[in-house]
Amino acid sequence: KLYYVRYPFEDGSGSVTIATTRPETMLADVAVAVHPSDDRYRHLVGKTIVLPLLGRRIPLIADPYPDPEFGTGAVKITPAHDPNDYEVGLRHNLPMPVLLDSKARITAEGGPYAGLDRNEARKRIVADLEALGLLEKVEDYDIPILVSERSGEPIEPLLSEEWFAKQSALAGPAAEAVRSGRVRFIPERYNQVYLDWLENLRDWNVSRRLWWGHRIPVYYTEDGDAVAAHSWEEAERKAGKRIVRQDEDVLDTWFSSGLWPFATLGWPDDTEDLRRWYPTTTMVTDRNIIYLWVARMVMMGLYFMGKEPFRDVYIHATVLTEDGRRMSKSLGTGVDPMGVIERVGADALRYTLLSQTGSNQEIRYSERRNDDSRNFCSKIWNATRFVLMNCEGPVDRPERLELVDRWILSRLARTEAEVKTAYQGFDLQRGCQALYRFFWSDFADWYIEVSKARLATQQGDVARWVLLTVLDAFLKMLHPIMPHLTEELYSHLPLRNKAPFLMASRWPEPDPAWLDPAVEQEVERWFEVTRAARALRAELDLAPLRTIPELYVDGDLGDGEAVLRSQAWIDTLRRGAPDAGIRCIAATVAGVDIHLPIEGLVDEQKERERLAKEEEKLLADLARCEARLGNPQFVERAKPEVVEKERRAKQELEANLEKVRRRRALFG
């Protein structure tokens, strides 16, 4: 409820009306405030008001806090029971009587209402105001109320004696540590978030009423004098009197947590662990506790240890739901990671999250991404099984490598450099993507497939050495992202001088001579031609792995002909262009013309019928699309992205129609 109450002026010249949601707190009012620019009250500022019910004299003051648009524009000031009123009280040097005790009962400040529970006091006060004719009206009013999670009771602001830690001596050095670069945030934008907070820092209330924690190191004599000391005995020596109790409060949890980097290592004793592990290198955390914890650790570390607790602070992205909401148990939007791990595995979940963690502030959780990550894990597992099935023991480094071997080793060296740079720069997303591309596209899709035909030949040991070398290096690079899968697979690799555990092995160091851009360019030209040949097969709807009799190659492929023949499933490669009478479908790519004869590969009558139906369907779809785009109302009223999507669909339909017509022409 919003209660409108008249506060009469002492001189009998009228009254000022205030609106309040907590009428019981009026018993501790020390002033009524209005905004200096509010013309309704400007001439009244300085007058004396008689506080209803208690008769206490209080002033009408001008302060920027009241909002002229809210209620009547006049606000009662109760510094002991409202944080905003408290600030007004400080600015105007007002008294701060405490109306409620720790059990929310009215204190002696409430006069005739002393001893009443706050809710009972509210009823009595509202009734008394109404009886005196000082209650103008009562309105329903929705406000956010802080409610205790444990008791369900509304929480009352209460002025109380607390212990504070002075921040001026701590904040300056902590800010300088970031300004000078001794501590750096990744991403860099969080430097300013940290500095803005430190530059506006107030003294820190470190008192807490909790069951567990570090007791406040303050002791009291029989006279109530407070003494700060390390122990009861020291307090008695300092006071020169008998100590009767220690303060019941404990230190704020974040105060104790700020000590963590050195308190866990034996501090204040000079231990071997403390000398070895303080300071550390990297702090990984969430942006929501930059103030609460990161800054506290830097402040405490500099004050107690004389040096920063860490060099780098990596702020990882916050994970939201797929539709962009905050994950929360209370909102029912949280995801239990154990259920996800049971379904797809811990490493798949790790990859899902880390592969999105670049400089993003937020990422969206996705079950589809989990499935993609699980498929990547399965790909690694199955590829490793293939290698192990074909490598019974360690293999010596060969004297001579084929061009395709040099290609994969060059790609490995390039990937290692990219992943190392990504890890060192905390760009885990870039590292994940580089590893994914290398393993799936280069190693699994190409090198393993090419090596299958070689394993049964004299080139078998060369391929085995390359397979093991690449797989060993890849598992080491992937280990920070997928520790469980990589550790298990590494344990089975037949390697010489192998570490007992992957996590204890050295980072891979590819031979600098492996990096060869010219070899990469040449071999990737072979693959480009092979992909073109596969595309021609797909045009004829030929099943994968079905061998076709011949393919004409007009251009220089060098040593790539074997790759083309095995990976496009061609029985015979013929050099040059086919005779004019041979019907073919063709493609030109990477300086090479390829021609695939169609004779005998398909049932031409069925293909003509199929293509006719496909053309008919494409024409119908294209007509509908053109009709929508030709409708001015659609183009003008639809969202721009919808119109653009329709235009792209039209272009795609036209391209497919042209393709179908070319193929129909082949069959007459």
Side-chain angles (χ1 to χ4, degrees):
K1 304 291 184 182
L2 193 59
Y3 302 86
Y4 289 78
V5 182
R6 293 192 193 95
Y7 282 38
F9 290 117
E10 184 182 32
D11 61 9
S13 61
S15 63
V16 61
T17 301
I18 60 93
T20 179
T21 58
R22 295 188 298 160
E24 66 279 7
T25 62
M26 68 182 292
L27 303 176
D29 284 356
V30 295
V32 171
V34 295
H35 198 278
S37 66
D38 196 331
D39 291 335
R40 294 173 295 176
Y41 302 108
R42 187 176 297 166
H43 65 290
L44 299 173
V45 171
K47 295 192 72 169
T48 300
I49 291 169
V50 178
L51 182 65
L53 305 179
L54 295 186
R56 189 164 65 241
R57 271 59 178 165
I58 62 175
L60 180 67
I61 62 174
D63 189 272
Y65 165 57
D67 178 3
E69 302 298 321
F70 172 75
T72 65
V75 179
K76 59 193 269 329
I77 302 300
T78 319
H81 299 283
D82 183 274
N84 294 310
D85 291 7
Y86 175 75
E87 297 295 333
V88 175
L90 289 179
R91 286 194 290 271
H92 295 269
N93 196 28
L94 298 172
M96 300 186 181
V98 176
L99 179 70
L100 297 175
D101 64 15
S102 61
K103 297 186 181 297
R105 293 174 303 201
I106 304 298
T107 66
E109 293 287 345
Y113 304 95
L116 292 177
D117 173 79
R118 59 180 169 173
N119 296 317
E120 180 60 30
R122 177 179 298 184
K123 294 176 185 176
R124 290 266 300 272
I125 288 168
V126 169
D128 290 347
L129 288 170
E130 194 168 17
L132 293 170
L134 297 177
L135 185 65
E136 276 192 8
K137 60 180 177 178
V138 180
E139 294 178 345
D140 288 334
Y141 185 61
D142 290 332
I143 58 170
I145 297 178
L146 287 175
V147 176
S148 168
E149 185 177 349
R150 294 179 180 178
S151 68
E153 286 293 316
I155 295 172
E156 291 283 355
L158 178 67
L159 186 67
S160 58
E161 275 195 350
E162 306 290 335
W163 289 102
F164 286 78
K166 195 167 186 62
Q167 298 297 278
S168 55
L170 299 175
E176 178 56 27
V178 168
R179 287 197 191 95
S180 66
R182 299 197 308 276
V183 173
R184 64 172 187 147
F185 280 84
I186 302 100
E188 190 177 351
R189 63 177 177 270
Y190 290 110
N191 280 357
Q192 199 56 48
V193 173
Y194 169 93
L195 291 172
D196 286 346
W197 184 74
L198 285 177
E199 288 164 1
N200 295 282
L201 194 56
R202 298 185 180 188
D203 288 345
W204 181 9
N205 175 359
V206 294
S207 296
R208 295 293 181 272
R209 259 70 70 196
L210 299 172
W211 284 104
W212 301 104
H214 292 141
R215 287 281 290 276
I216 295 280
V218 173
Y219 301 81
Y220 296 91
T221 67
E222 290 179 304
D223 302 329
D225 294 334
V227 180
H230 287 95
S231 66
W232 193 289
E233 293 75 21
E234 183 184 339
E236 287 194 331
R237 287 196 302 272
K238 278 187 169 184
K241 299 178 183 179
R242 191 167 75 89
I243 294 296
V244 295
R245 68 181 179 92
Q246 183 180 352
D247 201 297
E248 289 79 14
D249 286 3
V250 299
L251 290 167
D252 173 24
T253 302
W254 293 110
F255 184 100
S256 299
S257 298
L259 308 173
W260 182 88
F262 46 89
T264 56
L265 301 175
W267 177 86
D269 296 331
D270 182 19
T271 66
E272 183 180 344
D273 280 349
L274 189 61
R275 289 192 300 272
R276 181 178 182 186
W277 298 111
Y278 189 93
T280 186
T281 54
T282 305
M283 174 70 187
V284 180
T285 189
D286 176 76
R287 69 177 186 266
N288 293 310
I289 54 175
I290 290 175
Y291 320 134
L292 295 169
W293 198 22
V294 176
R296 305 296 193 197
M297 285 189 283
V298 176
M299 292 159 71
M300 300 290 199
L302 287 168
Y303 186 80
F304 287 110
M305 299 297 296
K307 58 181 76 170
E308 302 81 8
F310 31 72
R311 184 184 67 236
D312 296 324
V313 182
Y314 174 56
I315 304 297
H316 59 68
T318 300
V319 184
L320 304 179
T321 62
E322 195 159 5
D323 58 0
R325 292 184 294 164
R326 180 174 62 89
M327 285 199 178
S328 164
K329 284 184 179 180
S330 59
L331 295 175
T333 55
V335 174
D336 182 359
M338 297 308 295
V340 179
I341 290 169
E342 287 178 9
R343 190 175 73 83
V344 301
D347 282 340
L349 177 57
R350 286 172 62 92
Y351 187 86
T352 292
L353 300 176
L354 295 177
S355 63
Q356 300 176 76
T357 307
S359 59
N360 302 326
Q361 182 164 300
E362 295 168 345
I363 59 177
R364 297 194 179 191
Y365 175 78
S366 166
E367 287 292 348
R368 180 189 59 76
R369 283 183 178 270
N370 280 339
D371 292 337
D372 292 343
S373 299
R374 178 194 56 195
N375 293 342
F376 185 35
C377 292
S378 297
K379 188 80 168 180
I380 297 167
W381 183 272
N382 291 328
T384 305
R385 285 188 64 210
F386 168 80
V387 173
L388 294 174
M389 287 168 58
N390 288 279
C391 300
E392 296 179 358
V395 184
D396 293 329
R397 180 170 180 166
E399 294 181 3
R400 184 177 179 278
L401 296 168
E402 296 297 322
L403 221 56
V404 72
D405 303 320
R406 292 166 58 192
W407 168 78
I408 193 64
L409 292 175
S410 182
R411 293 293 303 135
L412 174 67
R414 191 177 299 280
T415 301
E416 184 275 335
E418 184 175 2
V419 172
K420 181 189 289 184
T421 300
Y423 283 172
Q424 289 173 341
F426 297 92
D427 192 348
L428 302 181
Q429 182 177 28
R430 177 185 169 193
C432 287
Q433 290 170 348
L435 288 166
Y436 184 95
R437 285 194 306 269
F438 171 76
F439 191 87
W440 200 297
S441 300
D442 296 339
F443 187 61
D445 281 2
W446 286 111
Y447 189 79
I448 285 181
E449 293 303 319
V450 170
S451 70
K452 288 178 179 178
R454 301 171 65 203
L455 288 170
T457 69
Q458 293 181 344
Q459 287 287 315
D461 279 350
V462 176
R464 289 185 185 90
W465 179 84
V466 174
L467 287 168
L468 285 172
T469 298
V470 172
L471 190 56
D472 173 40
F474 172 77
L475 293 177
K476 289 175 179 176
M477 290 189 288
L478 183 65
H479 186 63
I481 308 297
M482 294 187 182
H484 308 93
L485 177 69
T486 52
E487 190 71 71
E488 173 65 21
L489 294 177
Y490 179 81
S491 70
H492 296 282
L493 294 187
L495 302 170
R496 289 195 175 93
N497 303 316
K498 183 173 158 184
F501 296 100
L502 174 54
M503 65 184 294
S505 66
R506 292 180 61 84
W507 179 262
E509 297 178 352
D511 186 336
W514 288 353
L515 191 60
D516 194 330
V519 167
E520 287 187 49
Q521 185 176 3
E522 175 62 12
V523 174
E524 281 161 12
R525 191 171 70 91
W526 303 348
F527 296 156
E528 196 174 349
V529 174
T530 302
R531 279 190 286 267
R534 289 175 175 177
L536 293 181
R537 295 172 54 98
E539 275 197 49
L540 296 177
D541 219 12
L542 299 176
L545 304 181
R546 174 187 169 184
T547 303
I548 56 179
E550 59 185 3
L551 181 76
Y552 287 85
V553 179
D554 191 3
D556 182 20
L557 258 188
D559 295 336
E561 290 188 359
V563 170
L564 174 60
R565 189 168 53 251
S566 66
Q567 299 308 303
W569 308 288
I570 309 295
D571 188 27
T572 302
L573 286 183
R574 301 196 182 279
R575 295 181 182 275
D579 294 338
I582 300 177
R583 287 185 301 154
C584 298
I585 56 175
T588 300
V589 62
V592 176
D593 296 329
I594 54 174
H595 305 265
L596 177 61
I598 64 174
E599 194 72 39
L601 291 179
V602 295
D603 184 325
E604 295 192 18
Q605 180 58 35
K606 285 185 177 179
E607 187 67 6
R608 278 192 291 269
E609 292 172 359
R610 186 185 71 80
L611 289 171
K613 288 181 181 178
E614 188 172 345
E615 182 178 3
E616 184 180 349
K617 182 179 183 304
L618 286 170
L619 285 169
D621 291 343
L622 183 59
R624 283 193 292 271
C625 190
E626 288 176 334
R628 279 193 291 272
L629 290 172
N631 182 350
Q633 290 186 338
F634 170 76
V635 175
E636 292 170 7
R637 295 181 181 179
K639 292 182 179 180
E641 57 268 28
V642 174
V643 176
E644 182 58 30
K645 183 179 178 182
E646 199 68 27
R647 287 181 177 137
R648 288 197 302 269
K650 178 176 179 289
Q651 292 172 355
E652 187 176 338
L653 287 168
E654 289 172 340
N656 289 337
L657 184 61
E658 178 62 24
K659 183 178 173 182
V660 167
R661 284 172 171 168
R662 283 201 310 269
R663 290 181 59 185
R664 284 195 72 181
L666 284 172
F667 299 104

